[in-house]
Amino acid sequence: MNLVLQPDQKADVVARAEAQFAEGAYEDALNSFLSAASLDSMDLTARTNAAVCLERLGRWTEAADLLQQTLETHPASPEALMGLAICYLHLENPGKALEALEPLYAATPVPGRARFAKAVALQLLSRFEEAIEEYREILTSEPDSAEVLANLVAIGMATAQEPLTREYSERLISLQPESTSAIRGLAACALWRQDYEEASRHCGSLVELVPEDTNAWFNLGISLLRSHHPLEAAKAFLEAMRLRCDKAQAAAVIAPALRQCGALEDARACCEQGLSEQPGNTPLAMVLAGVLEEAGDAETAAQQYTKVLMVQPENTEAWFRLGCLRLAQEDPRTAFEAFQSAVRLRPEWLEALLNLALSSWRAGDLEEARQYYGEAVRLHPGSLEAVRGLAGIAIELRRYDEALDLHGRLIDLGDSSAELYFNTGLLLDKTGQREDAVRLYREALALNSQFSEALLNLGHVLKALGREDEARAVWLQAAHSDSCSVDSVQPLRSGAVFDRLS
């Protein structure tokens, strides 16, 4: 709001107030205008100008109170209403600002300042479509209003409207080539389109103009990482980390990004820096454990997961990762305990159930492994891995009829690998179903014509059936590859560790 000149310039107090205001001495000008208002309780101009001084001093609540008092005696004062609306906007009360502006909309035409203030209030209330309409109305008479264009860019970014953001960013940058609002908008558009090369150019321009902008550095890192420039990306992420005051919160975001860049040492240092500020930050401790795990420091990673679990024993992810590490270290019993804790907390977690079964299997407890694979199948009937596990256990227990049924179930579930058909053929052969064994070996060979073990075993079955000419033909084909006859059924991928989380 601007100063309103007194119609009567004779009063020394008013002249002094106006001079003080012009010099920027707003506190002195405030006292002088209040003195003038005290001499005449109906002096609208003195009160309004005192409110302007309060606004310049950032004392928005006091300014609003004074303008409210002014409106009690002058309810239709445009200056008081406009000033009150501005105060409410600064006080983050856009609803009250709209109420103050409502009388001004009765004028024809609507004052431009009132329309802009209303658009800002609507924007703060997230009534974006109405705000856009008001801003566009302003642009019909002020097409080069940088402030309006910047606010439209902000709405476009807040609502992820790429065409809107691009349109007004391009208009704004044509007026102000170094407009940070326009550059941010263009960078956002490029990121939405996944044009990371262009995004990195805009973000690079932004950090040159505003080198302390943490978000710009972070977005630059993302753009460089996804446009396959990991070293430059890591530098950008580290700069974002350096600028952030809240190191722990920043590290929780930046360390995983550094990890994606392959900068594991930097990611570790980033986590440790954050944890030195907030030792009890469990999410960050989990990030550090993951970084250590990826760097190959399995034992330190396991210790880190154990520390997390001491503070947060219900952390299922920590139990799961600890189990995976112990299983990889060939410690199946400790792994079993970790996976058992994960399953106790999340009984239907498929990957944890599968790894729990695998831990039992590797510890030599086949019946226990069978129990957990069975539970996985009960809860997830369509799980190929669970059925494979049961089939593998059945084979080790020499329950070939059961294993054969399970292999048939795998086929029904859509597993059509050459290895599965080969295993099924072996099982059929062992249970005396040789004609069916021939059919399954041929299914395997249809998928992999150079599957030498299938060729050799097919020859053996054909010979046993008295079809020696066919047997010699397939053996001749097998002779062109290094192979040996397979006389035991091999479980299909039943020993895989499932290290993904769900």
Side-chain angles (χ1 to χ4, degrees):
M1 198 164 73
N2 297 318
L3 190 67
V4 180
L5 295 179
Q6 285 275 12
D8 180 7
Q9 298 291 323
K10 294 180 181 180
D12 290 342
V13 64
V14 173
R16 182 171 66 253
E18 291 171 354
Q20 291 164 337
F21 187 93
E23 293 171 358
Y26 302 123
E27 190 72 47
D28 293 335
L30 169 65
N31 293 328
S32 296
F33 280 125
L34 289 175
S35 296
S38 69
L39 298 173
D40 180 2
S41 62
M42 297 299 290
D43 189 342
L44 169 65
T45 307
R47 285 179 174 277
T48 306
N49 286 347
V52 174
C53 293
L54 288 166
E55 291 177 4
R56 295 296 173 90
L57 292 165
R59 292 155 62 179
W60 299 102
T61 301
E62 294 174 68
D65 290 342
L66 182 56
L67 290 166
Q68 285 280 23
Q69 295 171 21
T70 302
L71 287 167
E72 289 175 6
T73 55
H74 300 80
S77 167
E79 288 294 336
L81 289 165
M82 190 69 230
L84 184 60
I86 291 171
C87 288
Y88 282 136
L89 288 175
H90 281 276
L91 292 168
E92 298 182 2
N93 192 338
K96 283 285 189 182
L98 287 178
E99 290 178 15
L101 291 165
E102 192 172 336
L104 297 175
Y105 262 63
T108 305
V110 176
R113 289 189 304 155
R115 190 178 292 280
F116 182 80
K118 181 178 180 181
V120 172
L122 291 168
Q123 183 176 350
L124 291 173
L125 289 167
S126 299
R127 291 162 59 179
F128 296 122
E129 290 305 317
E130 295 171 78
I132 291 169
E133 185 178 341
E134 294 292 340
Y135 284 132
R136 283 175 170 164
E137 184 62 31
I138 296 171
L139 289 176
T140 59
S141 56
E142 302 177 52
D144 294 340
S145 172
E147 199 169 16
V148 171
L149 291 169
N151 284 1
L152 282 165
V153 170
I155 290 175
M157 293 176 66
T159 56
Q161 295 185 57
E162 197 268 343
L164 180 77
T165 307
R166 185 177 65 252
E167 176 187 353
Y168 293 109
S169 295
E170 289 174 350
R171 284 179 62 172
L172 181 54
I173 207 164
S174 69
L175 296 170
Q176 298 179 355
E178 293 189 348
S179 165
T180 55
S181 294
I183 296 170
R184 283 192 182 93
L186 292 171
C189 291
L191 287 168
W192 289 331
R193 294 195 308 273
Q194 299 183 5
D195 186 344
Y196 298 116
E197 291 287 356
E198 182 178 334
S200 63
R201 288 195 295 272
H202 291 309
C203 291
S205 299
L206 197 55
V207 297
E208 288 181 9
L209 292 168
V210 195
E212 71 282 2
D213 189 331
T214 307
N215 289 334
W217 280 107
F218 184 78
N219 286 337
L220 176 60
I222 291 292
S223 303
L224 289 167
L225 176 60
R226 293 182 181 171
S227 56
H228 309 295
H229 302 290
L231 294 179
E232 293 86 345
K235 292 176 184 177
F237 289 132
L238 288 170
E239 182 63 16
M241 181 68 181
R242 186 188 68 79
L243 290 168
R244 287 287 291 265
C245 297
D246 51 341
K247 300 297 185 187
Q249 185 177 350
V253 177
I254 293 170
L258 286 167
R259 183 179 174 183
Q260 289 184 56
C261 294
L264 297 179
E265 284 300 319
D266 289 328
R268 178 175 182 170
C270 181
C271 290
E272 290 172 345
Q273 186 177 3
L275 287 169
S276 68
E277 183 180 286
Q278 285 186 13
N281 189 318
T282 302
L284 186 54
M286 287 295 294
V287 173
L288 175 58
V291 169
L292 291 165
E293 190 175 347
E294 187 172 341
D297 192 348
E299 189 53 42
T300 308
Q303 292 170 9
Q304 187 66 33
Y305 287 127
T306 302
K307 287 180 183 178
V308 169
L309 290 165
M310 290 174 66
V311 177
Q312 199 177 67
E314 73 283 2
N315 191 315
T316 55
E317 183 182 352
W319 283 118
F320 185 89
R321 297 308 316 163
L322 180 61
C324 289
L325 285 169
R326 293 311 186 200
L327 201 53
Q329 292 173 325
E330 299 184 3
D331 184 357
R333 270 301 159 199
T334 306
F336 176 88
E337 292 170 4
F339 290 126
Q340 189 176 48
S341 296
V343 169
R344 189 180 297 116
L345 292 163
R346 284 180 58 187
E348 297 187 6
W349 191 357
L350 175 60
E351 285 78 15
L353 277 168
L354 292 173
N355 283 351
L356 182 60
L358 179 58
S359 301
S360 296
W361 191 346
R362 290 192 181 177
D365 193 334
L366 298 183
E367 286 299 335
E368 187 177 59
R370 187 168 179 267
Q371 172 191 338
Y372 287 116
Y373 279 127
E375 180 67 5
V377 169
R378 185 184 70 80
L379 292 169
H380 305 275
S383 169
L384 290 170
E385 297 297 348
V387 178
R388 283 195 190 104
L390 278 176
I393 295 293
I395 290 167
E396 287 210 17
L397 293 172
R398 299 184 179 277
R399 297 174 181 173
Y400 295 127
D401 287 337
E402 180 183 335
L404 185 57
D405 289 341
L406 290 164
H407 277 70
R409 184 169 177 178
L410 284 170
I411 293 171
D412 291 340
L413 286 171
D415 189 344
S416 57
S417 65
E419 291 81 2
L420 175 63
Y421 288 130
F422 172 71
N423 257 20
T424 309
L426 282 169
L427 288 166
L428 289 165
D429 189 8
K430 281 189 173 289
T431 54
Q433 302 174 65
R434 287 175 175 155
E435 289 292 349
D436 288 332
V438 169
R439 178 174 58 81
L440 268 295
Y441 283 137
R442 293 198 187 281
E443 292 277 5
L445 290 166
L447 293 172
N448 180 4
S449 61
Q450 299 303 309
F451 197 162
S452 56
E453 291 89 347
L455 288 165
L456 285 168
N457 282 22
L458 174 59
H460 287 305
V461 176
L462 289 170
K463 182 179 179 182
L465 290 169
R467 294 154 63 179
E468 295 190 3
D469 290 343
E470 292 178 66
R472 280 193 293 271
V474 294
W475 279 335
L476 182 61
Q477 186 178 347
H480 296 291
S481 61
D482 296 330
S483 60
C484 60
S485 178
V486 176
D487 59 5
S488 64
V489 185
Q490 301 297 318
L492 294 179
R493 296 192 294 151
S494 54
V497 181
F498 297 91
D499 62 357
R500 64 185 183 277
L501 299 179
S502 63

